[in-house]
Amino acid sequence: MNTRIPRRVLLLGGLAALLSGCASKFRSYNGPEVTRLRMYKAQRLLVLDGADDVLRTYPIGLGFAPEGHKQFEGDGRTPEGSYVIDRRNPDSLFHLSIGISYPNEADIAFAEAQGRSPGKDIFIHGGPRRGIDPVNVRDWTAGCISVTDRQIEEIYAMVRDGTPIDIYA
């Protein structure tokens, strides 16, 4: 029995390994500027607006308690209101992530008046490294907004820090 591997198979396998090693989660974007994000919780939809029209839309997952505005740490809710994209995390446990400026002053004041913490670290992010498919399992986060890994790669490239985001019930 001949156990030699054909040369073409070796070359194609080597090429595939080389290309996969060059793959990156960081994409470039040279299109129109994203001027605002709009998120509609009830419709599970994230909209990226440009100056003249909608640039992209994405289906989303939310916190495990999706209805209502986030008020306290651990409530599983996603905030509602006007915020900005204020940071990015290339080493996120959730593939990539971009941060939302929750809590704002009103969120902090409300929680403190109740003797509680408002929580923090609300992000738009991809799926976790293992275990959950954010497309087929909805509302699994602790209050963040989830999209697929491929989608967060696009969003991460398109959206700049300081971009406003309006989150609607």
Side-chain angles (χ1 to χ4, degrees), residues 42-53:
Q43 291 81 20
R44 303 299 193 278
L45 186 67
L46 176 65
V47 179
L48 277 59
D49 289 322
D52 298 321
D53 56 5

Side-chain angles (χ1 to χ4, degrees), residues 98-129:
I98 58 174
I100 296 173
S101 63
Y102 176 88
N104 61 27
E105 289 180 17
D107 298 322
I108 293 168
F110 178 81
E112 286 180 351
Q114 307 298 313
R116 312 251 326 253
S117 166
K120 60 182 181 177
D121 292 336
I122 300 297
F123 287 88
I124 301 170
H125 61 68
R129 300 264 188 246

Side-chain angles (χ1 to χ4, degrees), residues 22-123:
C22 294
S24 173
K25 62 184 177 181
F26 300 105
R27 297 180 183 208
S28 60
Y29 175 72
N30 296 317
E33 177 185 4
V34 175
T35 58
R36 176 171 302 279
L37 286 78
R38 291 179 286 132
M39 195 187 87
Y40 299 93
K41 289 171 61 174
Q43 291 81 20
R44 303 299 193 278
L45 186 67
L46 176 65
V47 179
L48 277 59
D49 289 322
D52 298 321
D53 56 5
V54 171
L55 300 175
R56 299 269 200 295
T57 61
Y58 300 96
I60 59 168
L62 299 172
F64 59 81
E67 294 183 18
H69 173 59
K70 182 168 192 61
Q71 296 178 320
F72 308 114
E73 184 173 3
D75 66 9
R77 293 181 176 160
T78 302
E80 296 170 0
S82 295
Y83 300 92
V84 296
I85 300 303
D86 65 350
R87 63 200 181 277
R88 51 195 58 244
N89 185 356
D91 299 317
S92 173
L93 295 176
F94 299 96
H95 193 60
L96 290 171
S97 61
I98 58 174
I100 296 173
S101 63
Y102 176 88
N104 61 27
E105 289 180 17
D107 298 322
I108 293 168
F110 178 81
E112 286 180 351
Q114 307 298 313
R116 312 251 326 253
S117 166
K120 60 182 181 177
D121 292 336
I122 300 297
F123 287 88

